[in-house]
Amino acid sequence: MQDALVAPRVASRATVAAVAALGVAIVLLLSAVHLTQGTSGVAAADLLALLTGAGTDQTAAVLVASRLPRLLAGVVVGAALGAAGAALQSITRNALAAPDTLAVNAGAHLVIVACAAFGLVVPVEASALLAFAGGLGAAALVFGISGGGTGPTRLVLAGSAVSLALFALVSVLILLFTEETTGLYAWGSGQLAQIGLGSVARMAPVVLLGIVALVALGRRLDVLGLGDDTAVVLGVPVRRTRVVAAVLAVLLSAAAVTVAGPVGFVGLCAPAVVRLFAPLVPGLYRHRMLVPMSALAGVGVVLAADVLVRLALGGQGGIEVPTGVVTTVFGAVVLVAVARRFRDSGPVRQAPAARSGRLRDRRTFLVVTAVTLALTVAVTAGSLLLGDAFLLMGDVANWVAGRAGPVTTFVLDARVPRVLAALLAGAALAVAGAVVQSVCRNPLAEPALLGVSGGAGVAAVAMITIVPTVGVWTLTGSAALGALAASALVFGLAARGGLATDRLVLVGVGVSYGSMALITLMIVFTDPWNEAKALTWLAGSTYGRTFPQVIPVAVVLVLAVGGFVRARDELDLLALDDDTPRVLGVPLGRSRLALLAAAAVLTATAVSAIGLLAFVGLVAPHAARALVGARHARVLPVAAMLGGLLVCLADVLGRTVIAPAQLPAGTLTALIGTPYFAWLLWRSRVATG
Amino acid sequence: MRGRRIGVALGAGVVALVLAACGTTEAPAGTPTSPAPASGAQISVTDARGKQITFGGPATRAVGLEWALVEYLVTLGVMPVGVADVQGYSAWVQAAPLTEGVRDVGVRGEPSIEAIAALRPDVVFAASDVNEGALTQLEAIAPVVVVRDADASDPLGQMRRNVELVAQVTGKQAEADQMLAGFDSALAEGAQRIAAAGLAGRRIAFADGYLDGGRLSIRPFTEGSLIETVSQELGLVNAWPMAGDENYGLASTDVEGLTTLGDVEFVYWTNKVEGADPFVEGLAGNAVWQSLPFVQAGNVTRLPDGIWMFGGPASMRQYVDAITAALAG
């Protein structure tokens, strides 16, 4: 990995020039095709006629006020993100650093949405400055909690977590301020369409200056690539160079967000594309070439995505489908490809909480269990009482006894399934997370991060899109198939060199980003005005759950927990290393497969019950291990309760705070779960950093 | 030890909480009673799902989850007890204003089951896109009449059938007949005015638009939309070339797509709650917009705020008045 970022000695000017020319030619070709696409009848022939002076005024207007702004938006955004990605990857010496994985885009986006929500009408320049502040804040946070950002996995995880939390905040704002933020939901996925050259013209100089400044820093960045010590010896101010380059990268990303919203993963893709050619053309490693070539590749990626959408769906499709969703799919593929090329990065990174060697005594376990149980009961009771209508315990008692008054009956009839769905789905995700973490021996593995939840979501949304009236069991079944397929894909792709590596997490994160983008694509394309559906699947919601929908989760949870209880010793052994279970006669491959499949099915039932829920499967098992030690007989019940507790709490807050309107549980889970996760990463930074 | 102390404290807290939360907000049910006492003959209707629903008498406590249904109710003289997004309704549907006491039951996409339950309605009118689980929970509270609120293959017919369905359930057939007859004569009168102004056969493009950041998305009301069909009844002709969706007849396009229209009357609606006027302010200085023949000829009309283009006879009468006033003077 690192060798790829080091500037080699040999550089042939001719080859470099040839590659650059080839890149420019491809981008020009894409631009030409891009200009012929649109919602009007203006085609290539009309544009040619314009060149010879035979075109109409309207054709000229279409070119100047519609096609060119969109093209230039693509150019500005692509160049900015490509260069930003290259700079961030160089200063972190990490091929997975990018405006998205460092949450820069999410931070800038949040600030812009917040402005709209609070009714601040600001000129483009000011909004770019605000976006810059937001992006800088988010990046600083990610660097901070990942401990300097040198480890790829920690950086990507911290970035994903912070992005998730910021996007959760964005959806809270959009839900709270529906009027003020109309349309920003779609914009959140990155849209190139412009009504004029205004924002492009204002941001282009910023982007140009940013790129020029990065190129000017090129020599220093080259030296930095040789290692900090060498750089110091050669007289390069390491810290200052890093900070200046990072600030420039954030500025570039913020400019891009101001123009088109967060266009996903261009900053990750573009340098990766350049690096693909770099072994053939060593000169490309030099930053004076790397930065502009990444910018060029960024333009290529954005334009290719936009051209592709409109080739496939026509001019009108280009209005409905956000370009950023397509680039996110590209980005997911690149993320997986880059992650696959990782060499095993040595010993398994384990958060201290996970390998907690301290043997907790039985009494601690009992106390923790009692307290967790009491808390779960309290939160469950609270969530039965709170909501749009406030009830008292007597009402619940009457309801249980079947003699409640009619209003109480209706309220609880609707509320109890929701509370149950939250409790059970939370427990299912937590148990699945605990099992996956043990089997993979990776404390960062969890169903949502590994793309398993995403796979279940893709299959479920595809199913309800094709057959809207599908039954609960069929839906759960197809989600299970999707989850198993996604696990097979992730584990298959990461299999080289064993499972317990960072690669698994990185491949998983890639697959999970890809599946989120696919879900957005399916919903935007088939059901564009159904915001409720999008929120249910992408954020996780208990709205409208009924008892029959909760049954699959309950059944699978009981079966799985039964199985895991029997396999608890096996789980303990698998979590240790490969040899111990083998020596003790545990059929390693078979048990792993069975346990992972059980976890995937468990995840799928949770997803089909309440949609994608982030971080529950990660946070709950961690907290459980920290509280009661590593033995599964103890971890599983505590994790299950903590998972249920977390989702139930998120759900009741979402149902109560802005009643009669509501926030989806998953949004609040992300808001509650992310700080814990961030703290977990931050606390473990010294141990592994 | 610390764990235990925390445990004891928490346990005590829980107990205190439970004790404090005892009591009831509602007296237990004695003997179960049937909801509304039957007054008059039984009413039986078939809703959009093909489900047969029987009422003991005209429903009086109605909840409306889609604004068109609320408009029918109000104009038929049945003030609903609950409406989804009261604030939005009041801004967008001014043909049939709500009175003070109408309770907000949440957003249209995900109305609060609990708020509806608390209202003890005897009928809930919902559009056909309600979440299936929520529908099941609503049906436990009161009979739910599911209405297909729009059908692009027969928008006016669908509107009439909906009005009649709502009237049947609420026992307001006479009012419905009167309302629909009034609507028909308003249409005929409007058509006369259009013809008298020499505008019969005039091509019209109706749209709305959303401005966000540097982007304007335009929503054409194509053939099959309620507005387009009413305009057709007036003697105007749809100019949009593209097809819309199968329910509302809506499509999407951008400024560039307007160049396909040619010489038309361009009519749009928006609302001041949306902020800046998407066409006039959003497109000021846009070369494509300025190159459009209807812009150059000044044939661009913004309708008054608050006419609900997916509404019922009352909204459509407002539209007829507004469009004839704008075009025929």
Side-chain angles (χ1 to χ4, degrees), chain A residues 37-41 58 61-62 65-67 179 182-184 186-187 191 193-196 316 319-320 363 367 371 374-375 378 385 387-395 398 403-408 410-411 413-415 417 468-469 529 532 536 541 543-546 549 655 660-662, chain B residues 1 3-4 7 10 14 18 21-29 88 103-107 109-115 117-118 120 131-134 136-137 140-141 210-212 214-216 219 242 245 250-257 259-260 273-274 282-283 286-288 291-293:
Chain A
Q37 294 177 315
T39 45
S40 70
Q58 193 167 65
V62 165
S66 176
R67 302 276 170 95
E179 302 295 347
T182 321
L184 282 177
W187 189 77
Q191 288 277 13
Q194 305 284 319
I195 47 171
Q316 225 173 305
I319 295 164
E320 286 155 10
R363 207 172 58 190
V367 169
V371 171
L375 276 177
L385 304 184
D388 195 2
F390 292 91
L391 299 180
L392 293 169
M393 278 321 276
D395 294 313
N398 283 340
R403 54 188 179 84
V407 172
T408 310
F410 298 139
V411 167
D413 280 351
R415 199 179 282 175
T469 55
W529 293 302
T536 301
S541 159
Y543 181 76
R545 297 302 102 174
T546 53
Q549 285 164 300
R655 284 189 285 121
Q662 41 209 330
Chain B
M1 294 320 94
R4 168 168 291 186
L10 276 171
V14 169
V18 169
C22 270
T24 59
T25 57
E26 188 186 28
R103 164 110 200 245
D104 192 344
V105 297
V107 293
E110 292 192 345
S112 162
I113 312 291
E114 302 182 0
R120 305 284 324 264
N131 172 316
E132 209 177 310
T136 313
Q137 290 166 347
I141 298 167
Y210 299 93
L211 190 63
D212 42 83
R215 169 173 178 251
L216 174 66
R219 217 164 48 154
M242 71 281 268
D245 74 297
L250 295 174
S252 37
T253 190
D254 56 4
V255 189
E256 190 187 320
T259 57
T260 54
V273 297
E274 290 279 299
L283 293 177
N286 182 286
V288 175
S291 80
L292 297 168

Side-chain angles (χ1 to χ4, degrees), chain A residues 162-528:
Chain A
V162 171
S163 295
L164 253 163
L166 295 178
F167 276 120
L169 275 177
V170 166
S171 36
V172 169
L173 286 177
I174 287 181
L175 285 170
L176 288 179
F177 301 94
T178 329
E179 302 295 347
E180 294 82 353
T181 56
T182 321
L184 282 177
Y185 187 73
W187 189 77
S189 304
Q191 288 277 13
L192 288 186
Q194 305 284 319
I195 47 171
L197 280 170
S199 55
V200 172
R202 289 196 190 87
M203 285 303 117
V206 177
V207 170
L208 196 65
L209 276 178
I211 294 176
V212 168
L214 279 178
V215 170
L217 272 183
R219 283 272 154 77
R220 286 187 177 183
L221 290 172
D222 287 344
V223 177
L224 218 58
L226 300 172
D228 288 3
D229 296 340
T230 320
V232 171
V233 170
L234 292 173
V236 169
V238 172
R239 204 181 155 73
R240 194 158 39 125
T241 310
R242 276 226 174 92
V243 169
V244 171
V247 166
L248 287 172
V250 171
L251 185 69
L252 284 170
S253 318
V257 171
T258 318
V259 171
V263 177
F265 290 99
V266 177
L268 184 78
C269 272
V273 169
V274 174
R275 224 170 290 114
L276 216 61
F277 289 99
L280 306 173
V281 195
L284 281 184
Y285 286 124
R286 292 202 182 282
H287 283 85
R288 299 224 158 141
M289 276 315 286
L290 182 69
V291 170
M293 284 307 284
S294 296
L296 192 65
V299 176
V301 169
V302 172
L303 293 186
D306 208 26
V307 164
L308 210 65
V309 167
R310 294 194 285 177
L311 270 184
L313 305 172
Q316 225 173 305
I319 295 164
E320 286 155 10
V321 176
T323 312
V325 175
V326 184
T327 57
T328 303
V329 176
F330 287 180
V333 174
V334 169
L335 188 62
V336 170
V338 173
R340 254 170 69 78
R341 293 214 333 258
F342 267 146
R343 283 192 219 102
D344 201 344
S345 42
V348 181
R349 289 155 198 276
Q350 284 201 340
R355 56 166 182 220
S356 167
R358 263 191 297 168
L359 277 176
R360 307 284 186 159
D361 57 7
R362 190 174 166 75
R363 207 172 58 190
T364 315
F365 169 63
L366 289 178
V367 169
V368 167
T369 312
V371 171
T372 320
L373 191 65
L375 276 177
T376 310
V377 169
V379 170
T380 309
S383 64
L384 287 175
L385 304 184
L386 299 175
D388 195 2
F390 292 91
L391 299 180
L392 293 169
M393 278 321 276
D395 294 313
V396 180
N398 283 340
W399 182 80
V400 171
R403 54 188 179 84
V407 172
T408 310
T409 307
F410 298 139
V411 167
L412 283 176
D413 280 351
R415 199 179 282 175
V416 173
R418 299 186 68 167
V419 173
L420 268 183
L423 276 175
L424 291 173
L429 286 171
V431 170
V435 170
V436 169
Q437 286 172 10
S438 299
V439 175
C440 302
R441 282 206 306 276
N442 189 329
L444 297 173
E446 74 127 348
L449 279 181
L450 289 186
V452 178
S453 305
V458 169
V461 171
M463 195 65 181
I464 52 172
T465 301
I466 299 163
V467 196
T469 55
V470 68
V472 178
W473 287 98
T474 322
L475 187 67
T476 309
S478 56
L481 285 181
L484 290 173
S487 343
L489 182 71
V490 171
F491 285 95
L493 287 172
R496 205 166 51 170
L499 286 178
T501 56
D502 289 358
R503 195 170 9 185
L504 181 68
V505 175
L506 294 175
V507 170
V509 169
V511 169
S512 108
Y513 274 123
S515 50
M516 298 272 274
L518 281 180
I519 292 174
T520 309
L521 209 56
M522 276 195 279
I523 293 176
V524 168
F525 193 56
T526 59
D527 220 352

